[in-house]
Amino acid sequence: MTIDAFQLYGTRLVDPPPVRLRAGKLQADLANGNLRTIRYDGTEVLRAISYLVRDRDWGTYSPEITDLRIEQSDDRFEVTYRRRCEGPDDTRLVIDVRITGSADRLDFEAEAIAPTGFETNRCGFCVLHPIVGVAGSPATVEHVDGKIVATRFPDLIEPWQPFKDMRAITHAVMPDVQVECRMEGDTFEMEDQRNWSDASYKTYVRPLALPWPYQIAANQPVRQKTSLVIRDISGSTRHPSGVSGGAIKLELGGRTGTMPDIGVIITPEEADASLSAKSVLTEIAPQEFLFHFDPGAGHDVEALKRFAAIATVHRGRSTLEIALPCKSSPSGEAAEIARQMQLAEFKPDAIMISPSVDRQSTPPGSTWPDCPPLDEVYAAARAAFPGIRIGGGMLSYFTELNRKRVPDGQLDFVSHCTNPIVHAADDLSVMQTLEALPFITRSVRAIYGDKPYRIGPSTIPMRQNPYGSRTMDNPAGGRIPMANRDPRHNGRFAEAFALGYAIQVLDADLECLTLSALSGPFGLIAGPAEPTGQGGRRPLFNTVRTLSRLAGASWQACVSSSSEVLAFAARDAAGARLHVVNLTGEERTIDCGACRPADADKELLLAPFATAALPLAD
C-alpha cells in the first residue's frame, strides 16, 4: 500500500530511515549522526546516545553532517563525521565525531572546537535509558570521586535528579547480561525525563546547578566520550535478525473503568473562528469547553463575551482556565475577573486557576520566582467565584506539578498538560512519549490520591514554553522541538497519537481529557494559511469525535504483544467494540481472535497510523 506522505505526516518531508549498525549481538540505528535503539541480543539496552548542542532558549541545533564515513564488518563497525553549528553574531562550533562498535563494546567520541567562542546551554552527550522494564530495577552508580553506590532507577517519577556527579551506571538488561554506560570528559547527572513525557531516563553533561548559558572558549577543544560495555556470561549464541515477524496479538485484559469526558480548548484569539464552526462543534459534541483567559496577554471582558456566545451553543459544561497575573493581591485580581465575567454574562461550571509565573519552569539550582502562596490564590478563587468548582495544578506540564506540588485541600480537581516535543521531535521519539503516560498518571495518583484529575490541553505543537523565552516558529513545517506549529498535527500521525494517548491514560480514571482546540494550529479544523485548507477537518477530528461519543462508556483493557499497536474495548448502548491503533508508519497485521470479534475474520491488516473499531461478540 502506498500512501502519500502528506496524509500521514502533514508534510512530504519524511525522516530518512536510519542506518542499521551491527557487530555480533550488538545493534544500533544511526539517525542524524546519533545512535538510537541500541540493542544487545534483541533487547533494547539504551534508547539513545546523542551529542547535542542547545542554544540559550534550550532549542537544539540541527547542523548538517559532512565527511560521513561508515565501515561495517560482521563483528565491528566504525562511523566518523563532522558537524558545524552556526550561532548568533557569526559564532560557530565544529564537532568531529567517531563511533566504534564491537561485539561487547560501543564507543562514541566527540571533540568540539569553537574558533570564535560559542554560547550554549548544553554541549555534549545525552544518554537515554528506556523506562519499560527498567523503572524500579536495580542499578549501580559510580560517581566522579570513585564512590560506587547500589541504587535503583526511580519507579514513581522523581521531580529532581535521582543521580548526580556520575561517571558510570550499570544495570542488568536480561539474566546474566549487564551493561555499563561510562561517561568521560565532564561531570554528568541524570534526570527523570518521564517528567516531560519522554520515555527515558536522561544522563546529560554539565550539572544544571552550574550557570547557563555559558561560553565555550575560543580554540579550546572540548573532548567527551561515552562507552557502553557489555558483560555477557549467558553463553547465548543467538544473533537477532532485528526484524519482528508474524501478527501482533491482542487479547482482552482484566482492567476496567469508565471513559473520561472529552474537552476542547478555546482561546480568545480563536473564539470567532470556533463560533463560526458551531456545526462542527455540534457533530463532535465534546462534554467540556476549556476557555483560556490570561489578563497578562490582554484578555479582558470582550474575550469573556465571546466565550459566553460560544457557551450558548454548547450543550456540555465549560471551564475557565485562568493564568492569574499575581501582580497585585490574588483576591483583588480574582474579584476583577469575576466582575468582568458578570458584565459578559459568562458563568462557567468550573475555574482552573494558576499563577501566571508557574507556567515557567524552575530548573534545579535556580531561584523560585516571587509568587503568592497557592493557598491564598485558591482562597481568593473560592471567594470570587462562589458556587463554582475550583481546580488547580499547572497550566504547563507534569514537570512543574511534580516540582511544585500544589496544596489540594481547597481544590475540587487537579490538572496539568503534557507535550511530546520538549526535547526531541522526530517521529519515533514523539510516539515513544506515549510509554511515559502511565508513569505520569500513576505518579499523580500517588501524590493526590483519588482527587478528580484532568489532563490537557495536550497537543503535539507546543502552546507555551516553560523552559525558554518563546516557542519555536516553524514556517518550513519541519520536525522541531518546542515548535508552536507541527506538520504532523495535520496528518494521520496526530489521529493515531491522540487515540494512543487516550488508551495510555485509561487507568488514571480521568474526569476530563483535552487533546485539541477546535480551530487554529492546535485545532480539529484548519484555519487560513494552513496546509489542510481553511475549514478542512484534520484526521485528528476522527479520534476526538470517537472519544467524545464514548465518554461515560465502560472500557476494558486490551493486552498487545507489541507497543507498536494499542487497543481497548468499549461498551455502550450500541454494544461492544474493539478500538485499535497502529502507531507506526508501516502496515501491521493484527491477530485479534482472542478478543472475540463479531465477524469471522480474526486477522486485521492495519494501514500506517490507522485506527479501527471492530464489533465484538457478546
Side-chain angles (χ1 to χ4, degrees):
M1 175 185 294
T2 301
I3 302 176
D4 183 77
F6 181 83
Q7 296 180 40
L8 299 179
Y9 301 102
T11 174
R12 290 185 172 85
L13 298 175
V14 178
D15 280 344
V19 176
R20 178 66 51 87
L21 304 173
R22 291 185 176 90
K25 299 180 187 180
L26 180 68
Q27 295 183 2
D29 288 344
L30 180 69
N32 198 27
N34 297 313
L35 297 179
R36 299 291 303 268
T37 318
I38 301 165
R39 294 187 178 96
Y40 181 77
D41 208 15
T43 297
E44 184 180 33
V45 297
L46 290 179
R47 184 133 283 184
I49 304 176
S50 303
Y51 190 91
L52 302 177
V53 183
R54 297 190 182 273
D55 64 23
R56 65 181 301 115
D57 289 311
W58 294 102
T60 303
Y61 286 96
S62 299
E64 290 187 5
I65 292 175
T66 60
D67 303 325
L68 175 64
R69 182 174 61 87
I70 301 174
E71 296 181 359
Q72 291 209 64
S73 62
D74 289 342
D75 58 0
R76 188 179 183 279
F77 59 78
E78 180 174 339
V79 178
T80 59
Y81 65 82
R82 171 171 287 189
R83 306 187 89 162
R84 174 176 166 141
C85 297
E86 302 290 342
D89 303 321
D90 296 322
T91 58
R92 64 187 185 277
L93 185 72
V94 179
I95 306 154
D96 286 298
V97 167
R98 181 172 180 262
I99 302 170
T100 57
S102 61
D104 59 1
R105 185 181 181 97
L106 176 66
D107 291 299
F108 195 150
E109 304 170 76
E111 179 182 275
I113 297 179
T116 58
F118 197 83
E119 180 188 70
T120 182
N121 276 1
R122 177 174 296 155
C123 177
F125 281 110
C126 288
V127 179
L128 306 184
H129 284 77
I131 57 174
V132 175
V134 175
S137 66
T140 302
V141 175
E142 178 183 333
H143 294 282
V144 293
D145 62 2
K147 184 178 181 180
I148 297 176
V149 177
T151 182
R152 288 181 176 271
F153 286 95
D155 182 18
L156 296 177
I157 301 174
E158 283 286 333
W160 310 106
Q161 303 97 318
F163 311 132
K164 294 183 177 182
D165 300 326
M166 297 172 64
R167 178 63 65 231
I169 182 169
T170 302
H171 76 292
V173 297
M174 62 184 82
D176 298 324
V177 179
Q178 286 193 330
V179 294
E180 176 192 79
C181 185
R182 181 167 294 274
M183 293 80 60
E184 303 172 35
D186 208 320
T187 298
F188 288 73
E189 63 187 18
M190 178 184 283
E191 66 187 12
D192 194 336
Q193 277 208 131
R194 297 175 298 172
N195 275 294
W196 295 271
S197 75
D198 294 71
S200 58
Y201 302 98
K202 180 172 75 176
T203 302
Y204 55 90
V205 74
R206 188 173 168 93
L208 284 174
L210 296 177
W212 46 267
Y214 62 96
Q215 285 286 331
I216 296 176
N219 297 315
Q220 295 293 315
V222 177
R223 299 185 180 94
Q224 294 177 25
K225 181 179 179 180
T226 295
S227 299
L228 179 69
V229 181
I230 299 165
R231 302 185 182 96
D232 184 353
I233 61 172
S234 66
S236 169
T237 58
R238 179 177 65 88
H239 284 222
S241 67
V243 179
S244 58
I248 295 172
K249 291 181 169 53
L250 302 179
E251 60 179 324
L252 294 176
R255 305 189 322 275
T256 59
T258 301
M259 297 292 294
D261 288 345
I262 297 300
V264 170
I265 188 168
I266 296 189
T267 65
E269 293 77 12
E270 291 294 331
D272 289 342
S274 298
L275 186 59
S276 66
K278 57 185 178 183
S279 62
V280 178
L281 167 64
T282 301
E283 184 176 353
I284 301 169
Q287 288 70 47
E288 188 86 35
F289 263 172
L290 180 61
F291 293 104
H292 177 68
F293 189 75
D294 181 2
H299 301 165
D300 55 17
V301 66
E302 294 303 317
L304 296 171
K305 288 179 179 177
R306 292 186 179 93
F307 293 163
I310 296 171
T312 60
V313 299
H314 175 46
R315 293 177 295 179
R317 296 176 304 278
S318 60
T319 295
L320 184 67
E321 176 189 80
I322 299 174
L324 198 69
C326 294
K327 301 297 184 183
S328 58
S329 73
S331 59
E333 291 181 345
E336 172 56 22
I337 295 172
R339 185 188 70 82
Q340 294 181 13
M341 288 168 54
Q342 188 173 19
L343 289 174
E345 298 182 354
F346 176 57
K347 186 175 181 180
D349 300 280
I351 299 287
M352 164 61 192
I353 192 165
S354 180
S356 179
V357 69
D358 278 349
R359 291 180 292 180
Q360 291 303 119
S361 179
T362 301
S366 302
T367 302
W368 287 89
D370 291 336
C371 182
L374 291 177
D375 277 328
E376 182 181 341
V377 172
Y378 302 151
R382 285 283 179 203
F385 312 111
I388 298 178
R389 297 181 74 213
I390 303 297
M394 292 292 161
L395 304 183
S396 52
Y397 309 132
F398 169 74
T399 321
E400 287 66 54
L401 182 64
N402 201 20
R403 290 177 172 176
K404 186 176 182 178
R405 299 182 178 182
V406 303
D408 63 329
Q410 300 184 67
L411 298 178
D412 295 305
F413 61 90
V414 294
S415 181
H416 67 83
C417 311
T418 67
N419 182 263
I421 59 170
V422 173
H423 294 113
D426 60 277
D427 298 334
L428 178 60
S429 293
V430 171
M431 280 301 183
Q432 284 179 335
T433 64
L434 299 177
E435 295 178 12
L437 296 178
F439 292 97
I440 288 177
T441 57
R442 189 159 56 86
S443 296
V444 170
R445 284 299 182 203
I447 300 168
Y448 297 105
D450 59 359
K451 178 72 66 174
Y453 176 21
R454 302 182 178 191
I455 292 180
S458 295
T459 59
I460 296 176
M462 178 180 275
R463 68 166 179 162
Q464 184 259 338
N465 181 6
Y467 316 109
S469 60
R470 60 185 177 89
T471 55
M472 304 301 165
D473 293 330
N474 190 11
R479 293 163 170 84
I480 301 174
M482 300 185 181
N484 48 34
R485 292 176 182 265
D486 190 286
R488 289 162 296 194
H489 187 79
N490 292 299
R492 278 171 33 184
F493 187 102
E495 178 183 14
F497 179 84
L499 187 56
Y501 194 113
I503 294 170
Q504 291 290 75
V505 299
L506 284 176
D507 278 333
D509 190 26
L510 294 180
E511 181 177 274
C512 185
L513 174 63
T514 299
L515 296 171
S516 72
L518 184 61
S519 60
F522 308 98
L524 304 177
I525 58 174
E530 294 285 347
T532 302
Q534 187 167 356
R537 298 178 181 183
R538 295 177 165 115
L540 176 61
F541 175 94
N542 302 322
T543 290
V544 174
R545 179 179 56 185
T546 295
L547 293 172
S548 182
R549 291 176 177 177
L550 288 174
S554 61
W555 62 265
Q556 182 175 357
C558 186
V559 179
S560 173
S561 64
S562 171
S563 60
E564 296 179 338
V565 171
L566 298 179
F568 72 102
R571 181 179 295 276
D572 56 16
R577 299 179 77 85
L578 180 70
H579 295 266
V580 188
V581 57
N582 178 4
L583 300 175
T584 76
E586 306 290 336
E587 287 184 341
R588 288 293 179 263
T589 301
I590 317 299
D591 178 358
C592 50
C595 297
R596 305 189 313 276
D599 56 31
D601 190 1
K602 312 300 183 185
E603 201 164 83
L604 170 70
L605 183 63
L606 209 54
F609 303 125
T611 65
L614 308 176
L616 297 181
D618 292 333

